[in-house]
């Protein structure tokens, strides 16, 4: 595909302060030659109008277009101060949309975090779509995701809390299966946090780290009938109604039905849990 330049290409790019000079498909990727639209810049030291001092090309990847990875060849301007008495001589332009020595534009990094964190896309799939490595995407997820996790308002508005275990690493010859505990907002259908392990201590530490006002707002807790979970709730959430989640309530009922039918003498899979939980599973907390 031959090179072309147009105002419509700049609008399609949608990167504030940039214009497209040329675009072509090389291999399976879009290659866009871009530059900033600024024509007048003041010296950072004295404010005198700077003069152009050449360009250098920097390559950075952007959001995919038409199912193809996009590479921006940014022709960065070099500026020079004309004031002899100024200590600033030359500098390279910088923009918020592209960090110095960046591999991805900031909007591509933010989108990587959204896809991995919110849409649950695999890191490898996002990296493939952008044409970068796995580690590059993970750095973007950490940089953009950490402020979201640390936001104190992130847990606001939770009234129905859900807890369940997930097998995180399968057992090996030298180590047992490792579990994590997921804590979710049942009413809004959002993951609140993931706690390493499924022990009473691990869940208890998470709950005791929450403000008293937040704990007081929890009216219902739905959980996997694991004794450690119910024990961890006694002090911080003793006021809440504790129920078995829909999946485990049905599973437990099926087990008892089968046991009654065949006269099985084996102990139930949730040993001791049924007596520790008021099993009032309902649609409102499933």
């Amino acid at each position: 595909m031959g090179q072309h330049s147009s105002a419509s290409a700049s609008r399609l790019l949608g990167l504030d302060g940039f214009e497209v000079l040329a675009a072509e498909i090389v291999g399976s990727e879009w290659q866009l030659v871009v530059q900033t639209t600024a024509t007048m810049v003041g010296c950072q030291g004295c404010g005198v109008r700077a003069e152009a001092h050449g360009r250098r090309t920097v390559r950075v990847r952007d959001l995919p277009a038409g199912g193809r990875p996009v590479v921006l060849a940014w022709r960065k301007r070099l500026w020079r101060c004309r004031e002899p008495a100024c200590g600033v001589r030359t500098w390279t332009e910088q923009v918020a949309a592209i960090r110095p020595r960046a591999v991805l534009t900031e909007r591509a990094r933010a989108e990587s975090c959204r896809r991995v964190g919110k849409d649950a896309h695999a890191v490898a799939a996002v990296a493939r779509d952008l044409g970068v490595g796995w580690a590059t995407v993970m750095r973007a997820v950490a940089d953009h995701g950490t402020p979201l996790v640390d936001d104190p308002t992130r847990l606001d508005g939770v009234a129905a809390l859900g807890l369940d275990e997930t097998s995180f690493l399968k057992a090996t010859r030298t180590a047992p299966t490792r579990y994590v505990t997921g804590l979710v907002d049942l009413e809004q259908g959002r993951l609140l946090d993931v706690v390493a392990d499924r022990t009473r201590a691990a869940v208890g530490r998470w709950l005791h780290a929450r403000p008293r006002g937040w704990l007081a707002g929890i009216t219902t807790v739905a959980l996997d009938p694991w004794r450690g979970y119910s024990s961890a709730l006694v002090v911080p959430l003793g006021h809440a109604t504790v129920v078995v989640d829909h999946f485990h309530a049905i599973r437990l009922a099926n087990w008892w039905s089968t046991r009654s039918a065949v006269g099985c003498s084996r102990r139930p899979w949730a040993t001791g849990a049924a007596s520790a939980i008021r099993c009032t599973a309902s649609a409102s907390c499933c």
Side-chain angles (χ1 to χ4, degrees), residues 83-134:
E83 174 54 53
C86 182
V88 178
R89 307 312 303 163
T90 62
W91 67 93
T92 304
E93 66 179 343
Q94 296 184 8
V95 296
I98 304 175
R99 290 184 177 183
R101 296 178 295 280
V103 177
L104 292 170
T105 61
E106 280 304 294
R107 67 181 184 181
R109 299 179 82 243
E111 177 65 6
S112 297
C113 179
R114 190 197 66 79
R115 287 185 58 185
V116 173
K118 185 175 182 179
D119 295 346
H121 290 178
V123 175
V126 177
R128 183 174 57 252
D129 291 344
L130 293 171
V132 299
W134 186 93

Side-chain angles (χ1 to χ4, degrees), residues 145-166:
T146 298
L148 299 177
V149 174
D150 293 342
D151 183 359
T153 65
R154 181 176 63 87
L155 302 181
D156 288 355
V158 180
L161 180 67
L163 292 83
D164 198 4
E165 67 180 28
T166 300

Side-chain angles (χ1 to χ4, degrees), residues 9 11 13 20 40 42-43 56 85 103 105-106 115 136 163 166 177 183 196 198 224 235 246 254 256 262-263 279 283:
R11 289 194 293 270
L13 175 64
V20 177
M40 185 173 65
C43 173
R56 65 186 183 91
V103 177
T105 61
E106 280 304 294
R115 287 185 58 185
T136 298
L163 292 83
T166 300
T177 300
L183 298 104
R198 59 171 179 173
D224 173 338
V235 175
H246 186 263
N254 287 340
W256 279 107
V262 301
C279 182

Side-chain angles (χ1 to χ4, degrees), residues 9 12 16 55 62-63 80 99 112 117 140 185 219 276 284-285:
L12 288 174
D16 290 343
R55 296 176 183 269
D62 195 24
L63 297 173
R80 178 171 58 189
R99 290 184 177 183
S112 297
D185 179 349
T219 59
S284 63
C285 61

